[in-house]
Amino acid sequence: MNSLWPSMRLLVRRCRIQILAWLLPLWALVASTAPSYEDVYPSLAEREMLVGAMRDSPGTRILYGILPTPGTIGQLVQWETGTYLVWCSGLMSILLTCRMMRGDEDTGLVEISRGTGVGRWVGFWAPVFVVWGTTALLGAGISGVMLAERSTVEELTVSGSLAFGASITITGWGFAALTALICQLGRDLTQARGTAIGAFGVMFGLRVAADDRDGLSWLRWVTPIGWRDIVQPFTDDSWAPVIICTLAALGILGIAGLAFGKRELLSGYLPDRTMSTRRWRVHGFTGLWVRLARSGFLGWGAGIGALAALFGAMTGSFTDMLAPDSPTKVWVDKMADGSAVKQLMTLLTTMTVLLVASAAVRRANTLAQEEREGLVELEIATGMSRARRYWVHLGLVVLEAIMLTGIAAGSLAWVTSSQLTTDHAVARAAVFVLTQIPGVLAAIGLAMAIVGLVPRLASVMWVVIGWSLFAQSFGGLVDLPDWARDLSIVGHCLDVVGDPEWVPLAVQAGIAIASLLVGFFGFSRRDVGS
Amino acid sequence: MSEFQPIRVESLVKRFGSFTALDGLDLVVSPGEVHGFLGPNGAGKSTTIRVLLGLYRPDAGIVRVLGKDPAHESATINRQVSYIPGDVALWPNLTGGQVLDALAGLRGSRDEAREKELSELFDLDLSKKVRTYSKGNRQKVALVAALSAPTKLLILDEPTSGLDPLMEKVFTDQVRLLAERGRTVLLSSHILAEVQNLCSAVTIIKAGRVVEHGDLATLRRLSLTRVEMVADPSVLPQVTTELAESGIKATGDGTRLVIQVSTEQVPAVLGIAASHQIGQVTCEPASLEDLFLSHYQES
């Protein structure tokens, strides 16, 4: 374990931006939720209908789990916001562990550091300690925020706040341990990360099964996503599960450590199924791009389709709660305009399209990544023109985004049709998604502009995505000015009734075209790979 | 200049912010020539090559590759150029064979028989994934792709990096074969033996400028002659003093004296050696290493 502490410091230094990019927005999310609930639902009596509907809705049970009764502010926060925190804690742990443990091994950093005398086990324990420390910090911050808000939200308790933070922490620890094990199984970072995210999906499914069937409630112990529901923050505030789940995570780490001890550098236990070994007939860059991007498209398509279907399943119960003058209606009125169905569809399609935009931005940014890796230089050296490289890449990103949007629209409309058919719900499900394509194109355009001009700043585009999420989801709740809420790539669409509002879509289309051209100008003029 | 030159660079300037990487560089490569392009680390070799490929935009100067300006016609030019970069980057999840397929698909032309032949000569297993290859095997993939492509010009940046001596010989033989068939090669390398074996002309750059250029034979004639004497330790101090009186500097380790002089000074040195009856005297033109190191070292 030679040089463990310096290695940990180096990891924190290298990943500090990423870590803060996760922690700060999540703490802000927690800080905004409890006061919002208090504002809209000051008393338990006003929450009664909401709580009943949320407990009965199959869609919300699948997404968030079972809302505990009687539905105090703390219980609502740990149920709704807590679900997002559980997911983010898990995904953060997965992505950080993969990057620090397997990513550094693949890029040769582990080899070079061991060449300086760093202990062999540092490559395993340094990432584990850093990620565990990060999730502990997340949990501590959550508890701190909740404790601070007790001065304005009376229903929050000390033990509940501490248990809430602890439950998010152990979720992160569980996923970090599981990912550490998967990193030993996978042959490289890509396989490890893909397997870990797939495992995240399986863990989510286990939690859903545990909530759905009484006889399967024990499954909550098997999945880190279910550990919060065992701790029951703001209900039972059980600390025994915190200790047991921590020990379970340590047990998984032990197994991961054994696997690490026996594994050769740059090897893995799983078979290599990344790509077939058959020889290709490649015709130009388009053919190559399609072959390389195929599996990623299938993964995103499946994920987006599933999420849209989940949202569709939630539509049946939501509109019951949005009766005129109900507290929920008052709250939702801050987030979207129009009838109950229109408001519901606006919120659901906004989230769906944001996921499509995230996939599109990620794909657009691969041009910057491939330039960094030297692959663009290789392609240009074979006789590909810069213009062709840029426009073919862009065209395929746009085509993929349109296809993903179609999948989202189809999935949401199809499932909605089984839950809700009043007030043009099904048509709105499809049209709201499809008419947000200009927003997705604007996101692609902005990403390509950054990649074309200053590729090392490609990750800045995630600030735009993050802002769009915040502005559309919470902008109304925190009384964001209209102009700030409109600065979003999602949330602007056409309705199936009334006069169409073309202006926002035209503006987004204009932004898309202008920024694509700026990106092309930059890419064709600047040095490649400098 | 009436003869067509595959590479012609005049007064090339390239800046990165306030740093001037190339400061009025000239480079001419004649048809069918294997031209060595040398310089210390950071001299500007890779920057020059990237300008030739159209990856970097020059700030000033004239650059022509196969008669065209790479800043505006790089795609047309590069279809006729085989390039091996200093750091070979390949798609990690493809096999070596799939990489060759991809590169051929991008280029739009291919000689599959030649690829097969070179793969066998380089002993390269094309069925393995790139990320399982050693550095040398990744280099071999790039070599097979470059040497087999039906192109007119080869630009090779440290092409034998990571190769074992056997494979280095295969590479040398193949480049010689290509040169005999009329292909033009620009070879950037730190392996002086390789340059000496293959190149008929060299350009040496330092700090973004040319410090030496010409055909190798001329350079070696114009360079210093190396004289080495082996004698009794009691004799050599006197010899050193007499050489110094003639303005000739000598270095030694007690029993051996090494002197580097111009051709005109050789008789004087030999005369001093003879006057002290030193029998073991070696006299030879300065090696390429001596020639290059005199430019590599800081002044």
Side-chain angles (χ1 to χ4, degrees):
Chain A
M1 295 284 264
N2 218 23
S3 302
L4 174 63
W5 182 238
S7 298
M8 285 172 60
R9 280 208 320 264
L10 188 57
L11 277 176
V12 170
R13 188 181 158 79
R14 284 171 50 213
C15 299
R16 65 191 187 280
I17 306 287
Q18 253 188 307
I19 290 171
L20 287 173
W22 280 104
L23 296 182
L24 295 177
L26 291 177
W27 288 336
L29 176 66
V30 173
S32 65
T33 316
S36 298
Y37 271 122
E38 169 92 336
D39 191 36
V40 178
Y41 305 105
S43 69
L44 274 171
E46 282 162 299
R47 275 171 246 151
E48 196 180 327
M49 197 175 101
L50 169 75
V51 172
M54 292 297 100
R55 285 175 63 85
D56 293 337
S57 162
T60 53
R61 282 168 68 105
I62 291 171
L63 204 56
Y64 300 106
I66 301 171
L67 173 58
T69 51
T72 63
I73 298 284
Q75 286 172 330
L76 279 170
V77 170
Q78 68 84 35
W79 175 76
E80 185 188 14
T81 305
T83 296
Y84 300 133
L85 292 171
V86 160
W87 292 354
C88 289
S89 175
L91 288 171
M92 177 183 76
S93 297
I94 287 172
L95 295 175
L96 286 177
T97 305
C98 282
R99 179 186 162 172
M100 293 179 187
M101 194 175 278
R102 206 58 213 242
D104 280 2
E105 189 172 325
D106 284 2
T107 53
L109 288 176
V110 167
E111 188 172 344
I112 202 168
S113 65
R114 278 171 60 175
T116 65
V118 169
R120 180 167 187 259
W121 285 92
V122 170
F124 180 83
W125 287 112
V128 168
F129 289 152
V130 169
V131 176
W132 274 44
T134 303
T135 48
L137 193 58
L138 173 64
I142 290 166
S143 293
V145 166
M146 300 298 284
L147 286 170
E149 288 184 337
R150 286 188 66 241
S151 59
T152 52
V153 182
E154 283 179 10
E155 289 179 24
L156 298 178
T157 62
V158 171
S159 61
S161 302
L162 294 173
F164 186 29
S167 67
I168 302 304
T169 295
I170 59 172
T171 303
W173 286 354
F175 275 110
L178 187 61
T179 306
L181 176 59
I182 291 172
C183 281
Q184 312 316 314
L185 303 179
R187 297 199 151 264
D188 61 10
L189 171 64
T190 306
Q191 190 176 32
R193 189 168 50 206
T195 306
I197 291 178
F200 181 89
V202 169
M203 294 296 144
F204 176 76
L206 289 175
R207 196 231 80 212
V208 170
D211 291 339
D212 199 45
R213 304 259 189 278
D214 283 338
L216 293 178
S217 59
W218 59 270
L219 283 175
R220 290 194 189 105
W221 288 96
V222 176
T223 162
I225 295 184
W227 290 353
R228 174 202 55 170
D229 299 330
I230 305 172
V231 173
Q232 298 258 343
F234 298 104
T235 305
D236 294 341
D237 300 335
S238 305
W239 284 93
V242 174
I243 296 168
I244 294 170
C245 294
T246 301
L247 291 173
L250 286 170
I252 298 170
L253 266 184
I255 299 170
L258 281 173
F260 174 82
K262 293 191 182 314
R263 182 174 67 83
E264 291 285 349
L265 190 71
L266 298 173
S267 69
Y269 294 99
L270 290 175
D272 183 1
R273 293 196 200 288
T274 46
M275 210 167 265
S276 135
T277 57
R278 277 199 346 243
R279 296 295 294 261
W280 291 352
R281 283 278 163 217
V282 175
H283 301 290
F285 180 63
T286 306
L288 178 63
W289 196 99
V290 167
R291 282 178 187 272
L292 294 173
R294 198 162 40 199
S295 58
F297 167 72
L298 291 173
W300 278 102
I304 287 169
L307 184 73
L310 192 61
F311 284 160
M314 291 162 60
T315 55
S317 58
F318 254 110
T319 50
D320 293 336
M321 293 187 309
L322 299 183
D325 297 327
S326 73
T328 308
K329 184 80 166 70
V330 170
W331 184 24
V332 172
D333 281 345
K334 292 187 178 188
M335 294 156 71
D337 302 325
S339 66
V341 170
K342 185 181 174 187
Q343 287 173 326
L344 174 66
M345 285 305 160
T346 301
L347 296 173
L348 296 180
T349 57
T350 295
M351 293 299 114
T352 309
V353 173
L354 197 62
L355 195 58
V356 173
S358 299
V361 164
R362 188 169 177 277
R363 186 66 83 190
N365 284 352
T366 57
L367 179 54
Q369 183 190 339
E370 286 167 359
E371 187 176 337
R372 229 176 10 251
E373 291 170 354
L375 293 171
V376 174
E377 177 179 323
L378 183 70
E379 291 156 359
I380 289 176
T382 62
M384 174 182 296
S385 69
R386 292 190 191 210
R388 187 172 172 75
R389 182 61 171 91
Y390 181 89
W391 290 112
V392 171
H393 178 84
L394 172 67
L396 293 168
V397 171
V398 168
L399 182 62
E400 187 183 67
I402 291 173
M403 289 167 68
L404 289 175
T405 308
I407 290 170
S411 180
L412 180 63
W414 180 53
V415 180
T416 299
S417 66
S418 67
Q419 301 287 320
L420 179 72
T421 54
T422 57
D423 199 12
H424 309 283
V426 178
R428 277 177 163 142
V431 169
F432 281 21
V433 171
L434 291 172
T435 55
Q436 288 187 66
I437 284 179
V440 176
L441 296 179
I444 294 171
L446 290 170
M448 292 301 290
I450 296 172
V451 167
L453 291 171
V454 193
R456 69 176 183 277
L457 296 180
S459 56
V460 165
M461 195 54 208
W462 295 108
V463 175
V464 174
I465 298 285
W467 173 258
S468 299
L469 172 64
F470 176 76
Q472 292 299 313
S473 304
F474 302 102
L477 299 177
V478 300
D479 293 325
L480 216 55
D482 286 347
W483 65 263
R485 288 190 65 190
D486 287 341
L487 282 178
S488 164
I489 52 167
V490 292
H492 304 288
C493 57
L494 296 179
D495 200 354
V496 295
V497 295
D499 295 327
E501 291 179 29
W502 292 105
V503 172
L505 304 190
V507 169
Q508 286 181 326
I511 290 171
I513 292 169
S515 46
L516 295 177
L517 292 173
V518 165
F520 173 64
F521 178 82
F523 186 73
S524 58
R525 292 280 184 278
R526 66 172 170 79
D527 296 334
V528 169
S530 64
Chain B
M1 295 178 196
S2 57
E3 188 191 20
F4 169 75
Q5 280 119 358
I7 295 177
R8 179 168 70 90
V9 176
E10 291 174 23
S11 305
L12 175 60
V13 176
K14 176 62 189 170
R15 295 185 197 95
F16 296 102
S18 59
F19 171 66
T20 303
L22 300 175
D23 192 8
L25 184 115
D26 298 318
L27 173 66
V28 173
V29 178
S30 300
E33 192 173 71
V34 181
H35 194 107
F37 191 41
L38 302 109
N41 295 329
K45 301 186 299 298
S46 295
T47 302
T48 305
I49 287 172
R50 288 203 169 106
V51 173
L52 295 177
L53 293 167
L55 295 166
Y56 285 178
R57 303 294 193 207
D59 292 302
I62 296 172
V63 180
R64 295 290 179 269
V65 179
L66 299 176
K68 297 183 172 61
D69 182 357
H72 299 111
E73 298 182 85
S74 63
T76 310
I77 296 168
N78 292 348
R79 281 180 196 272
Q80 293 299 321
V81 174
S82 292
Y83 170 55
I84 297 178
D87 285 315
V88 170
L90 301 171
W91 300 273
N93 287 329
L94 304 193
T95 64
Q98 288 170 342
V99 169
L100 295 179
D101 297 333
L103 292 174
L106 293 175
R107 184 184 298 285
S109 62
R110 187 175 200 173
D111 185 341
E112 285 192 66
R114 184 82 174 120
E115 267 180 24
K116 188 165 183 291
E117 181 192 353
L118 285 168
S119 302
E120 285 166 10
L121 282 170
F122 279 110
D123 193 23
L124 179 61
D125 183 351
L126 293 174
S127 65
K128 291 192 173 164
K129 294 273 173 80
V130 163
R131 58 180 158 72
T132 64
Y133 280 154
S134 63
K135 178 180 161 62
N137 279 327
R138 280 201 302 277
Q139 196 74 18
K140 286 182 194 177
V141 175
L143 281 167
V144 169
L147 297 176
S148 66
T151 55
K152 294 178 183 166
L153 171 65
L154 284 87
I155 298 179
L156 312 176
D157 192 354
E158 307 285 350
T160 57
S161 169
L163 294 187
D164 62 55
L166 274 174
M167 295 300 114
E168 281 182 17
K169 183 164 186 326
V170 172
F171 166 76
T172 307
D173 291 342
Q174 292 305 313
V175 169
R176 204 171 275 131
L177 185 66
L178 290 173
E180 285 166 10
R181 291 178 182 172
R183 305 269 284 277
T184 306
V185 181
L186 179 68
L187 172 63
S188 175
S189 176
H190 285 299
I191 302 174
L192 301 178
E194 182 176 271
V195 174
Q196 194 160 330
N197 282 338
L198 284 173
C199 299
S200 51
V202 293
T203 297
I204 304 173
I205 73 170
K206 187 176 174 185
R209 291 184 185 157
V210 173
V211 295
E212 196 70 78
H213 70 98
D215 65 87
L216 263 187
T218 306
L219 285 175
R220 294 186 71 181
R221 271 201 310 277
L222 293 175
S223 64
L224 302 173
T225 300
R226 188 172 186 276
V227 181
E228 186 174 319
M229 305 178 194
V230 177
D232 192 275
S234 60
V235 171
L236 290 180
Q238 181 61 27
V239 173
T240 305
T241 305
E242 289 180 29
L243 287 170
E245 285 167 2
S246 305
I248 296 169
K249 187 168 181 276
T251 54
D253 62 2
T255 60
R256 184 185 305 270
L257 214 59
V258 175
I259 307 113
Q260 301 221 18
V261 292
S262 64
T263 313
E264 294 78 25
Q265 291 173 305
V266 170
V269 172
L270 293 178
I272 292 171
S275 70
H276 288 276
Q277 297 184 326
I278 296 173
Q280 281 193 51
V281 178
T282 311
C283 188
E284 60 186 1
S287 70
L288 225 53
E289 185 172 341
D290 297 324
L291 171 66
F292 296 152
L293 286 176
S294 69
H295 292 297
Y296 275 44
Q297 282 159 2
E298 295 285 341
S299 58

